[in-house]
């Protein structure tokens, strides 16, 4: 029987068997393309938008994990709500990444980096009851909102247009958090 250390080492060894990336130097630019001007994001702005990007990507991935494995009362409603979360997270991650590119920043959505840098806790494996999925997804929606709020003022100081994107993210993500969390809430008594 293998020891716990051997099991852990074996699991870690099989977890990521990727080959190192090749390329990435980019295409050579023409004289006209090199002449491109416009607002360029600072390192701080790029990093702040990157923080939001990885949380949105992770939210979409965890939403899919929940979507595939949710079971129990109100399954269908929860399953469909998860689709709404996934769609919003994917759309906003694309918007943030394209905003970064328009500011000459380089978004990084590689799975290893997302897993290393997201603020969202790891999502549990296996079947999960609808009531638990509601609580887990509410926690993750709130984490994305917290990241947006943490970086907002610095983003707004440098680039109000990017801050407007954060406003849209916050509006929708916080609305989804309210709607999802309402599934498990009990009415307040006066």
């Amino acid at each position: 029987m293998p020891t716990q250390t051997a099991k852990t080492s074996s699991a870690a060894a099989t977890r990521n068997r990727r080959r190192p990336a090749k390329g990435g130097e980019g295409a050579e630019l023409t004289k006209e393309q090199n002449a491109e001007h416009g607002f360029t994001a600072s390192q701080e702005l790029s990093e702040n938008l990157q923080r939001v990007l990885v949380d949105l990507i992770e939210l979409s991935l965890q939403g899919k994990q929940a979507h595939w494995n949710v079971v129990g009362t109100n399954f269908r409603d929860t399953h469909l709500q998860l689709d709404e979360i996934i769609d919003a997270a994917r759309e906003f991650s694309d918007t943030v990444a394209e905003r970064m590119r328009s500011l000459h920043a380089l978004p990084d959505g590689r799975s290893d980096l997302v897993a290393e840098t997201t603020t969202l806790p790891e999502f549990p494996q296996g079947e999960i009851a609808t009531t638990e999925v509601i609580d887990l997804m509410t926690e993750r929606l709130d984490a994305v909102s917290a990241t947006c709020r943490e970086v907002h003022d610095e983003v707004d100081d440098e680039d109000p247009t990017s801050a407007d994107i954060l406003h849209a993210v916050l509006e929708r993500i916080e609305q989804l958090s309210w709607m999802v969390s309402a599934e498990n809430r009990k009415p307040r008594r006066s």
Side-chain angles (χ1 to χ4, degrees):
M1 179 172 176
T3 65
Q4 184 61 29
T5 307
K7 285 182 188 177
T8 305
S9 298
S10 176
T14 60
R15 191 170 195 131
N16 188 349
R17 293 180 179 223
R18 293 185 189 189
R19 294 172 306 194
K22 292 182 181 177
E25 285 83 39
E28 287 195 34
L29 300 176
T30 65
K31 198 172 193 177
E32 292 78 20
Q33 290 169 319
N34 280 322
E36 182 180 324
H37 296 288
F39 179 76
T40 300
S42 68
Q43 184 69 27
E44 181 180 52
L45 177 58
S46 298
E47 289 170 0
N48 283 330
L49 292 175
Q50 179 67 28
R51 287 179 59 196
V52 173
L53 177 63
V54 296
D55 277 3
L56 288 166
I57 292 169
E58 184 67 13
L59 179 63
S60 72
L61 294 171
Q62 290 194 21
K64 259 314 182 192
Q65 183 68 20
H67 178 85
W68 294 324
N69 292 295
V70 65
V71 295
T73 306
N74 292 330
F75 162 80
R76 182 165 166 67
D77 290 339
T78 304
H79 193 73
L80 294 174
Q81 264 187 327
L82 290 166
D83 277 335
E84 288 182 57
I85 293 168
I86 295 159
D87 290 346
R90 285 178 175 168
E91 182 178 333
F92 284 129
S93 64
D94 193 51
T95 299
V96 170
E98 288 181 356
R99 178 67 185 160
M100 291 175 73
R101 289 301 296 142
S102 70
L103 301 178
H104 310 286
L106 297 173
D108 194 341
R110 294 174 296 158
S111 59
D112 293 350
L113 184 92
V114 171
E116 289 171 12
T117 60
T118 185
T119 65
L120 278 63
E122 187 175 347
F123 200 84
Q125 168 62 336
E127 289 186 336
I128 303 175
T130 52
T131 53
E132 187 177 2
V133 165
I134 294 301
D135 291 341
L136 291 169
M137 291 311 295
T138 300
E139 177 186 18
R140 281 139 182 86
L141 288 160
D142 292 346
V144 173
S145 294
T147 298
C148 287
R149 289 185 177 282
E150 284 173 19
V151 304
H152 176 273
D153 290 348
E154 290 176 4
V155 169
D156 194 36
D157 287 345
E158 184 172 344
D159 183 29
T161 304
S162 292
D164 287 346
I165 292 169
L166 296 183
H167 298 157
V169 172
L170 281 166
E171 179 184 14
R172 183 66 174 134
I173 295 297
E174 289 176 347
Q175 179 190 43
L176 286 166
S177 176
W178 159 62
M179 290 179 159
V180 170
S181 68
E183 290 283 335
N184 286 349
R185 285 198 51 228
K186 304 285 185 238
R188 290 187 188 136
R189 303 287 180 210
S190 311

